[in-house]
Amino acid sequence: IPAVYSLDGLLVFGLLLVCTCAYLRKVPRLRTWLLSERRGVWGVCHKAAVIGTRLHVAVSVSCLLMALYVLVGK
Protein backbone atom coordinates (compact mmCIF):
# COMPACT_ATOMS: atom_id res chain seq x y z
CA ILE A 1 0.00 0.00 0.00
CA PRO A 2 2.85 2.53 0.48
CA ALA A 3 3.44 2.59 -3.29
CA VAL A 4 -0.04 4.05 -3.84
CA TYR A 5 0.97 7.20 -1.98
CA SER A 6 3.70 8.07 -4.47
CA LEU A 7 2.99 9.67 -7.83
CA ASP A 8 4.35 6.78 -9.87
CA GLY A 9 2.32 4.29 -7.84
CA LEU A 10 -0.79 6.36 -8.43
CA LEU A 11 -0.07 6.46 -12.18
CA VAL A 12 0.42 2.68 -12.26
CA PHE A 13 -2.85 2.20 -10.41
CA GLY A 14 -4.70 4.49 -12.82
CA LEU A 15 -3.28 2.79 -15.88
CA LEU A 16 -4.14 -0.65 -14.54
CA LEU A 17 -7.68 0.51 -13.74
CA VAL A 18 -8.17 1.89 -17.26
CA CYS A 19 -6.71 -1.22 -18.93
CA THR A 20 -8.72 -3.63 -16.78
CA CYS A 21 -12.00 -1.82 -17.28
CA ALA A 22 -11.42 -1.57 -21.04
CA TYR A 23 -10.75 -5.31 -21.15
CA LEU A 24 -13.87 -6.08 -19.11
CA ARG A 25 -15.91 -3.93 -21.48
CA LYS A 26 -15.03 -6.31 -24.33
CA VAL A 27 -16.60 -9.29 -22.49
CA PRO A 28 -20.35 -9.14 -23.31
CA ARG A 29 -21.66 -10.77 -20.14
CA LEU A 30 -19.50 -8.61 -17.87
CA ARG A 31 -20.27 -5.47 -19.84
CA THR A 32 -23.99 -5.66 -19.10
CA TRP A 33 -23.44 -6.73 -15.50
CA LEU A 34 -20.61 -4.47 -14.34
CA LEU A 35 -20.32 -1.55 -16.70
CA SER A 36 -23.95 -0.64 -17.29
CA GLU A 37 -24.11 1.78 -14.33
CA ARG A 38 -22.97 5.33 -15.00
CA ARG A 39 -23.02 6.61 -11.42
CA GLY A 40 -21.14 5.72 -8.27
CA VAL A 41 -18.22 3.33 -8.08
CA TRP A 42 -19.32 1.38 -11.15
CA GLY A 43 -19.61 4.70 -12.99
CA VAL A 44 -15.89 5.26 -12.44
CA CYS A 45 -15.26 1.85 -14.00
CA HIS A 46 -17.54 2.76 -16.90
CA LYS A 47 -15.70 6.02 -17.51
CA ALA A 48 -12.32 4.28 -17.27
CA ALA A 49 -13.51 1.72 -19.83
CA VAL A 50 -14.59 4.49 -22.20
CA ILE A 51 -11.21 6.20 -21.82
CA GLY A 52 -9.42 2.91 -22.42
CA THR A 53 -11.34 2.11 -25.59
CA ARG A 54 -11.27 5.58 -27.13
CA LEU A 55 -7.63 6.34 -26.33
CA HIS A 56 -6.30 2.80 -26.70
CA VAL A 57 -3.13 3.87 -28.52
CA ALA A 58 -2.20 6.49 -25.93
CA VAL A 59 -3.04 4.15 -23.04
CA SER A 60 -0.95 1.31 -24.47
CA VAL A 61 2.03 3.61 -25.07
CA SER A 62 1.66 4.92 -21.51
CA CYS A 63 1.60 1.37 -20.17
CA LEU A 64 4.78 0.51 -22.06
CA LEU A 65 6.56 3.65 -20.86
CA MET A 66 5.45 3.05 -17.27
CA ALA A 67 6.62 -0.56 -17.45
CA LEU A 68 10.04 0.55 -18.64
CA TYR A 69 10.18 3.16 -15.89
CA VAL A 70 9.25 0.65 -13.20
CA LEU A 71 11.65 -2.02 -14.47
CA VAL A 72 14.64 0.20 -15.32
CA GLY A 73 14.14 3.49 -13.53
CA LYS A 74 13.36 2.25 -10.04
Side-chain angles (χ1 to χ4, degrees):
I1 293 201
V4 177
Y5 295 119
S6 63
L7 180 62
D8 56 343
L10 190 63
L11 287 174
V12 168
F13 177 77
L15 282 171
L16 285 174
L17 178 73
V18 168
C19 292
T20 303
C21 290
Y23 177 75
L24 290 177
R25 187 174 180 171
K26 297 293 183 183
V27 180
R29 196 173 286 201
L30 291 176
R31 181 179 185 176
T32 58
W33 187 54
L34 291 177
L35 300 173
S36 61
E37 275 298 316
R38 294 180 186 230
R39 292 185 180 176
V41 175
W42 296 117
V44 172
C45 292
H46 173 76
K47 289 175 181 140
V50 169
I51 290 170
T53 53
R54 289 187 183 170
L55 300 175
H56 63 279
V57 174
V59 170
S60 62
V61 168
S62 305
C63 285
L64 287 173
L65 290 175
M66 185 56 75
L68 286 174
Y69 171 73
V70 169
L71 290 174
V72 177
K74 278 185 128 180

